[in-house]
Amino acid sequence: MERVEKLLRSDVEKGISTEEALRRQMEYGPNIVTIPSGPGAIVRFLLQFHNPLIYILLAAGTVTAALNSPVDASVIFGVVLLNAIIGFVQEARAEEALNALQELVYTEATVLRDGRRQRLASEELVPGDIVFLHSGDKVPADIRLRQARDVQVNESSLTGESLPVFKRVELLPLDTILAERCNTCHAGTVLTYGQGQGIVIATGDATETGRIAHLLAATLNLETPLTRKIGIFSRRLLYVILGLSALTFAVGLFRSQPVFDMFMASVALAVGAIPEGLPAAVTITLAIGVNRMARRKAIVRRLPAVETLGSTTVICSDKTGTLTENQMTVCRLLAGKRHYTVSGTGYAPAGLISWKQEPIRAADDGALNECLTASVLCNDSLILQKDGRWLAEGDPTEAALLTAAAKGGLDALRLQERFPRLDAIPFESDLQLMATLHSGFEDDRRRVYLKGSVEAILARCDGVTSEGDSESDFQRSVIVEAADAMAAAGLRVLALARKTFMPSREELSLHDIEAGLTFLGLQAMIDPPRPEAIKAVNSCQQAGIQVKMITGDHALTAATIARRLGIKVAAEGRVAAVVSGAQLVGINDEELQRIVKQTNVFARVAPEQKLRLVTALQANNHVVAMTGDGVNDAPALKQADIGIAMGYSGTDAAREAADILLMDDNFASIEAAVEEGRNVFDNLIKFIVWTLPTSLGEGLIILTAIVLGMTLPILPVQILWINMTTAVFLGLMLAFEPGESGLMERPPREPQRPILSKPLLTRIALVGGIMLLGSYGLFQWEIAHGASLDTARSVVVNLIVLIELVYLFNCRSLLRSIFGVSLITNLWVFGGALLTFFLQIAFTYLSFMNDIFHSAPIALEAWLRIGAVAAISLVIVEVEKRLLARRRTDI
């Protein structure tokens, strides 16, 4: 410690001077986490347009404007602008994670400056400052302790450790991992017990919290599986459209057609092939998924996250507070030579104490009553109900003891009033026990109750309570064996004892408790898994999703929780195998990628190691969802394809880095969110499979006309009418489709799998071909029977729209028959179909629509022919689906 003081040029008697503090603040900067500067708002907004699909839409808008269709051009440009605004806002919100980390360490501290104690804002601290810490204080900087009296620190938000960590003054090796640095208190953590004094060794960005902030800033904002696939699809579509347009122009010139006409034909082909409604459909479908997930307690902060969940192949979950209650719970008891089990989880006093599967009350069992009484009276904490949740005030271990006593029927407040405390020996790490002296017993005797480690208590005992609270022979080996069995199960074990004194004793000394104690029992506790998490983990595994636990807690505890959750490691053939953070040190990326394939439980893991584990899984082509609630989880949450934070108990840093917040802090909500994500992805695929045949059919109609030297059966303005109206009033109705049966029984989509499978591409080509042949057939029929060009083109427009309408019902399920889908589960489809029909009536028969779109009224016989071709289209697609089902083809 003297070396630290010398290196930092600090005076432990007077502290540093104000002048020296100002000089060091100039050298090291203020004690705040700085935010690395990124691109400005204007640049970030312009980057939203850097996407091939957006390029296509901008080209479509420009072409449409050139065709003297300002209304249609405005609609297209409006879609582009809306998508850019949404992306800009979501990106800005994600960057607020760094601001949350700044606020995390802002507090006040008691500092020795100029020879006197004073309260200063934490941002004024500098390396070398002498800081005094007391129970309840938030640690203002990284501090090396030089004095520590029973200091316990809650580091769960930084390391994942579920219990407060004992701090003491001792030398440690330089390579000691973060979770085991017992001589240092870290910025942002909280003292739960004791008091200490130390010297500031790191401030601002140099603290562990600051280092995590820079890990978070350096983490890439990854594309989601959907955006990756749509990006690839858009680039390919761009090349196809440009190629076909160039081919159309070249063929026309080769046939000596007028240059202007060929240019307009090429434009018509491009407009026809561009799916103008796709970006809007993606945004709206995801937004509908957001609303559905909100009803299931999952709040989405970034739209593509909805779909990403549906593609998730691995869920990496923090243990404390995510898979577990983050509330210590007594689950086993030993009292009077009897072994008891305790039901219920968390601090809520709901549950029973049972012996041989029979519930029992403390009042009916003297030894049990005395063991529980000791845990209430030798206790400095409280449990209370707030906003419908039971919370602990004080030490989590002591809160667990109070809850167990309440389950046995004891009233803590009445006991404390009946047996008032006279004196106490607080818990000290050297003693490993706490003792309290009480009055109010028979014959005015005094009684001291103790709790502590099994070794410390047993060393002072020479008797043990038995049935009826009588004392019997003390068999140390039996108790040690029971305690070892509990510890082997990953439980934290506390022993309890008592000693009776004659009246008039008012004080308690260490000499009084060195021997002659009566052993009362053992209480074993753990931060238990959430009951609903067990079911959710099982459901995720059945859906083909791997669940991995990544925690800062001890390996034995992690393994125990993993066993209870049913987390498996196939390569080991066991329920749970654990790799520690220490084992990961020095391992290269290639070896780490192999380890993450074989291991499902990682313990004592540092924040940067969580980040490496997520990155290694992504290198193995996994779509990774990461859950967490602590500061230590934030970088990994941002790196993951989908970050999921606890909305209630999570830290600001975790919430701001995440894509999705679980408002009930319930891992089971992830299962519901995954199901909804899969449904969103299904509905997006349905929309794409529905819209592309129209783009293909329209493009082929234009290309065929050019190649054969025929009159265009459809005009560019009519193509725009079809694309925009049907995309909004027909295609978007698919976004409201509920999930199909068996959604969570199928494996996740492979990340490398293209957005459209070969069977779906075949179906798109099939329907596009029907549109091509039907359009030319009816167009030539009308011309041959004396119809005007506008009338013939109106027939073609109505045919394409009606084929799209019936094909919409085909697409409600990509494999199941149209008759196997309930008619009432999505009434939006029927509403959209009816509205589209009336719009086509207006398009065909209203004079002002005829003037704008060059349409004309058509006869009833023409409608019958249109209906016949559309019906044939519906039947052909249903037959194709039946053939796929017979072959059990995966789409």
Side-chain angles (χ1 to χ4, degrees):
M1 191 65 205
E2 291 179 359
R3 185 180 178 187
V4 174
E5 295 165 10
K6 184 176 180 180
L7 286 171
L8 294 172
R9 304 188 307 278
S10 183
D11 186 337
V12 297
E13 300 297 330
K14 296 181 180 180
I16 60 177
S17 66
T18 300
E19 292 77 11
E20 177 63 16
L22 290 173
R23 191 194 66 78
R24 294 188 185 192
Q25 197 165 66
M26 292 292 292
E27 179 181 354
Y28 298 105
N31 182 31
I32 58 175
V33 178
T34 58
I35 302 176
S37 59
I42 295 176
V43 174
R44 285 191 285 114
F45 180 73
L46 293 176
L47 286 174
Q48 305 302 319
F49 298 92
H50 183 54
N51 182 288
L53 189 59
I54 298 301
Y55 299 156
I56 296 174
L57 286 174
L58 289 173
T62 303
V63 169
T64 306
L67 292 173
N68 295 319
S69 299
V71 175
D72 296 310
S74 298
V75 170
I76 296 173
F77 287 134
V79 168
V80 173
L81 183 62
L82 177 63
N83 278 278
I85 291 172
I86 291 173
F88 175 78
V89 171
Q90 295 295 336
E91 183 178 301
R93 291 183 63 188
E95 295 305 319
E96 290 175 5
L98 296 174
N99 292 326
L101 279 164
Q102 269 194 309
E103 295 174 2
L104 184 69
V105 297
Y106 183 84
T107 183
E108 288 190 339
T110 303
V111 184
L112 185 64
R113 286 265 182 96
D114 298 317
R116 60 186 179 86
R117 293 191 185 192
Q118 47 188 301
R119 295 286 289 177
L120 297 176
S122 65
E123 66 179 42
E124 297 180 34
L125 296 185
V126 295
D129 263 326
I130 303 298
V131 177
F132 299 89
L133 300 171
H134 299 85
S135 178
D137 285 349
K138 181 181 283 187
V139 180
D142 283 3
I143 295 172
R144 171 70 159 85
L145 291 173
R146 59 182 307 275
Q147 294 178 9
R149 179 177 174 81
D150 309 323
V151 172
Q152 297 181 42
V153 180
N154 183 348
E155 295 185 337
S156 61
S157 66
L158 188 64
T159 67
E161 173 72 65
S162 56
L163 289 171
V165 178
F166 291 100
K167 297 292 184 177
R168 53 190 179 273
V169 180
E170 64 177 58
L171 291 175
L172 296 173
L174 287 175
D175 59 353
T176 303
I177 63 172
L178 178 65
E180 295 178 1
R181 295 175 194 168
C182 61
N183 60 6
T184 306
C185 295
H186 298 288
T189 59
V190 179
L191 254 73
T192 60
Y193 197 84
Q195 58 187 20
Q197 181 201 79
I199 184 169
V200 174
I201 58 173
T203 59
D205 296 334
T207 64
E208 289 297 325
T209 301
R211 193 167 57 82
I212 292 174
H214 281 268
L215 283 175
L216 185 59
T219 303
L220 297 174
N221 283 311
L222 298 184
E223 292 179 306
T224 70
L226 178 69
T227 56
R228 281 194 292 265
K229 290 171 182 174
I230 287 185
I232 294 171
F233 169 74
S234 301
R235 284 190 291 273
R236 290 176 178 172
L237 183 61
L238 177 63
Y239 299 146
V240 170
I241 291 172
L242 293 177
L244 288 177
S245 296
L247 178 63
T248 300
F249 189 76
V251 170
L253 292 181
F254 179 76
R255 297 177 61 87
S256 301
Q257 298 289 333
V259 174
F260 179 77
D261 290 348
M262 288 306 93
F263 175 76
M264 296 307 296
S266 299
V267 167
L269 188 149
V271 171
I274 293 171
E276 290 89 351
L278 182 57
V282 171
T283 300
I284 293 172
T285 303
L286 293 175
I288 291 169
V290 166
N291 291 330
R292 287 177 173 173
M293 290 172 71
R295 290 195 292 268
R296 304 179 81 166
K297 303 297 184 182
I299 304 300
V300 177
R301 298 181 62 248
R302 198 162 61 92
L303 282 180
V306 180
E307 174 274 330
T308 311
L309 267 178
S311 305
T312 297
T313 59
V314 176
I315 297 176
C316 296
S317 179
D318 180 43
K319 178 186 72 67
T320 306
T322 307
L323 291 168
T324 66
E325 299 277 2
N326 198 16
Q327 296 183 342
M328 296 300 293
T329 303
V330 174
C331 54
R332 296 189 199 175
L333 276 165
L334 171 67
K337 300 182 180 179
R338 287 181 174 179
H339 291 268
Y340 304 86
T341 58
V342 186
S343 63
T345 59
Y347 298 135
L352 298 171
I353 298 177
S354 302
W355 180 57
K356 293 184 177 180
Q357 299 183 341
E358 290 294 328
I360 190 168
R361 305 287 288 178
D364 300 325
D365 187 319
L368 175 63
N369 184 78
E370 191 66 1
C371 181
L372 295 176
T373 298
S375 67
V376 170
L377 297 179
C378 188
N379 199 309
D380 288 327
S381 299
L382 294 172
I383 55 171
L384 48 86
Q385 196 171 18
K386 183 179 180 181
D387 298 330
R389 296 166 65 99
W390 284 88
L391 305 173
E393 277 196 3
D395 183 78
T397 300
E398 292 189 332
L401 297 175
L402 293 176
T403 301
K407 292 174 182 177
L410 298 186
D411 187 318
L413 292 178
R414 288 186 179 180
L415 277 176
Q416 291 162 358
E417 290 175 358
R418 181 180 174 187
F419 305 112
R421 183 185 295 187
L422 302 176
D423 196 11
I425 297 175
F427 185 92
E428 293 187 12
S429 55
D430 292 338
L431 289 175
Q432 289 294 303
L433 59 81
M434 172 183 176
T436 55
L437 180 66
H438 299 267
S439 62
F441 296 94
E442 187 178 347
D443 298 331
D444 199 27
R445 292 175 180 267
R446 306 293 196 254
R447 183 169 290 177
V448 61
Y449 286 108
L450 302 94
K451 72 169 186 290
S453 68
V454 176
E455 297 81 2
I457 295 297
L458 287 183
R460 293 166 168 81
C461 292
D462 55 18
V464 61
T465 55
S466 59
E467 292 81 355
D469 192 20
S470 61
E471 295 193 12
S472 62
D473 293 336
F474 182 59
Q475 294 180 303
R476 183 188 304 272
S477 61
V478 175
I479 298 171
V480 170
E481 184 179 347
D484 288 346
M486 293 175 177
L491 306 179
R492 185 185 186 193
V493 186
L494 286 180
L496 298 108
R498 74 180 182 197
K499 186 176 183 180
T500 303
F501 296 97
M502 297 299 291
S504 74
R505 179 179 290 271
E506 302 292 334
E507 295 181 351
L508 189 61
S509 68
L510 289 176
H511 176 74
D512 295 328
I513 58 172
E514 285 184 354
L517 305 184
T518 300
F519 179 78
L520 299 178
L522 302 174
Q523 294 201 35
M525 62 191 70
I526 197 169
D527 179 14
R530 297 173 181 265
E532 61 273 17
I534 298 174
K535 179 182 177 183
V537 167
N538 181 59
S539 297
C540 288
Q541 290 174 340
Q542 286 184 345
I545 301 171
Q546 299 178 42
V547 180
K548 296 181 183 290
M549 179 193 295
I550 304 177
T551 178
D553 215 336
H554 294 280
L556 183 59
T557 305
T560 299
I561 296 298
R563 291 189 186 97
R564 294 191 180 189
L565 289 165
I567 293 177
K568 303 173 183 177
V569 177
E572 294 280 344
R574 294 181 286 160
V575 176
V578 183
V579 171
S580 69
Q583 293 172 279
L584 296 177
V585 175
I587 291 178
N588 60 38
D589 292 343
E590 184 177 343
E591 178 66 11
L592 186 61
Q593 290 170 27
R594 185 190 64 80
I595 290 174
V596 295
K597 288 181 180 179
Q598 302 173 345
T599 308
N600 276 1
V601 184
F602 298 87
R604 307 302 277 174
V605 175
E608 63 272 16
Q609 290 177 326
K610 289 189 177 186
L611 189 60
R612 284 193 69 205
L613 289 170
V614 170
T615 305
L617 286 165
Q618 291 171 330
N620 288 337
N621 296 316
H622 281 293
V623 178
V624 182
M626 173 75 191
T627 75
D629 61 353
V631 177
N632 59 327
D633 299 318
L637 286 172
K638 192 175 180 184
Q639 171 67 29
D641 297 281
I642 177 75
I644 307 170
M646 304 298 107
Y648 185 88
S649 63
T651 60
D652 287 345
R655 286 196 294 263
E656 294 298 336
D659 304 295
I660 292 178
L661 306 180
L662 302 183
M663 299 314 295
D664 56 356
D665 287 10
N666 192 338
F667 184 87
S669 296
I670 298 175
E671 176 200 353
V674 168
E675 183 177 2
E676 195 58 54
R678 289 188 172 190
N679 184 39
V680 166
F681 191 90
D682 278 2
N683 289 346
L684 285 172
I685 296 298
K686 291 173 184 177
F687 176 85
I688 293 172
V689 170
W690 172 83
T691 194
L692 287 187
T694 303
S695 297
L696 177 64
E698 291 167 344
L700 289 175
I701 289 170
I702 301 298
L703 183 61
T704 302
I706 300 302
V707 171
L708 299 180
M710 299 172 59
T711 303
L712 291 178
I714 189 169
L715 297 174
V717 70
Q718 294 170 339
I719 291 174
L720 279 171
W721 164 263
I722 295 172
N723 290 358
M724 297 309 295
T725 56
T726 58
V728 173
F729 300 114
L730 289 180
L732 284 181
M733 301 305 106
L734 291 171
F736 297 95
E737 280 295 321
E740 297 188 41
S741 59
L743 203 58
M744 289 297 287
E745 295 174 7
R746 68 190 191 200
R749 290 179 64 93
E750 296 178 7
Q752 300 85 5
R753 186 175 175 181
I755 198 167
L756 294 175
S757 62
K758 289 183 179 179
L760 293 181
L761 289 172
T762 301
R763 185 178 302 172
I764 290 168
L766 180 64
V767 178
I770 293 172
M771 286 185 179
L772 172 66
L773 296 176
S775 295
Y776 271 101
L778 293 187
F779 181 77
Q780 294 299 330
W781 175 282
E782 296 295 330
I783 295 296
H785 288 77
S788 67
L789 188 59
D790 285 349
T791 300
R793 284 171 171 163
S794 297
V795 169
V796 172
V797 170
N798 281 298
L799 173 66
I800 293 173
V801 171
L802 196 59
I803 289 177
E804 283 193 89
L805 193 152
V806 298
Y807 183 51
L808 180 74
F809 289 89
N810 290 128
C811 289
R812 291 189 66 196
S813 176
L814 297 178
L815 269 180
R816 294 162 58 200
S817 166
I818 190 175
F819 303 107
V821 180
S822 174
L823 297 177
I824 61 173
T825 53
N826 186 4
L827 296 178
W828 289 93
V829 169
F830 294 94
L834 190 62
L835 183 57
T836 299
F837 178 75
F838 284 125
L839 284 173
Q840 286 308 116
I841 295 297
F843 170 88
T844 308
Y845 296 106
L846 293 182
S847 58
F848 77 92
M849 297 287 278
N850 297 154
D851 293 337
I852 295 173
F853 293 103
H854 307 287
S855 58
I858 60 176
L860 177 61
E861 293 82 0
W863 280 110
L864 294 175
R865 288 188 289 272
I866 291 170
V869 175
I872 292 171
S873 169
L874 185 145
V875 172
I876 290 174
V877 174
E878 287 301 308
V879 170
E880 184 258 352
K881 284 202 287 188
R882 177 66 63 88
L883 293 175
L884 287 178
R886 285 182 178 177
R887 298 174 191 162
R888 300 183 181 275
T889 304
D890 183 20
I891 59 171

